[in-house]
Amino acid sequence: MRELVRACKAISAETRLRILNIVMIRECSVTEVMQSLQISQTRASRNLGALYDAGLLNARREGAWVLYSVAKDGLDGHSRELLDALKGMLSHDRLAQQDVSRLANAKRAS
């Protein structure tokens, strides 16, 4: 139950939902998140950190970049179900789909 509460708190902000939406599609750097959501570096980093701290994201270093991906293996059953449900719900959201469209053109930059 504790992991589910932590996950729910982490997704309680629009920006974090939008980030999860694109990271469920592919691994992203902070720069790609910034470009896709059209937000500042500070806002992207802070919200990625909150999702990481909640155990919803993995982070790995590749050269100059930190790449974030969904932590599917480390999630409990409730959190996995929550992410699956969010994926379905966000697929019908106009803003979330605009983020996905911008993700297609996002580039990693140092």
Side-chain angles (χ1 to χ4, degrees):
M1 179 67 84
R2 190 172 296 196
E3 290 82 12
L4 180 59
V5 170
R6 186 174 56 161
C8 287
K9 285 180 181 179
I11 64 167
S12 66
E14 179 181 321
T15 300
R16 292 192 288 270
L17 283 172
R18 292 173 65 198
I19 288 171
L20 274 175
N21 184 53
I22 63 169
V23 175
M24 284 190 278
I25 293 170
R26 71 172 167 89
E27 188 175 59
C28 293
S29 68
V30 172
T31 305
E32 291 168 308
V33 170
M34 291 168 50
Q35 293 169 17
S36 299
L37 276 62
Q38 298 179 324
I39 60 176
S40 69
Q41 183 273 326
T42 303
R43 189 169 168 198
S45 293
R46 184 179 63 244
N47 284 285
L48 282 162
L51 292 167
Y52 176 81
D53 290 344
L56 295 173
L57 296 182
N58 286 327
R60 71 176 183 89
R61 185 164 291 281
E62 183 178 288
W65 300 298
V66 176
L67 301 176
Y68 294 89
S69 60
V70 175
K72 292 182 180 179
D73 294 336
L75 298 177
D76 68 354
H78 295 302
S79 296
R80 258 193 306 280
E81 289 177 35
L82 179 63
L83 288 181
D84 289 342
L86 285 174
K87 188 173 188 175
M89 287 182 250
L90 291 169
S91 70
H92 302 293
D93 183 82
R94 185 180 53 81
L95 181 57
Q97 291 314 301
Q98 290 171 347
D99 295 339
V100 170
S101 295
R102 286 189 294 268
L103 177 63
N105 298 315
K107 304 271 190 266
R108 288 184 188 151
S110 49

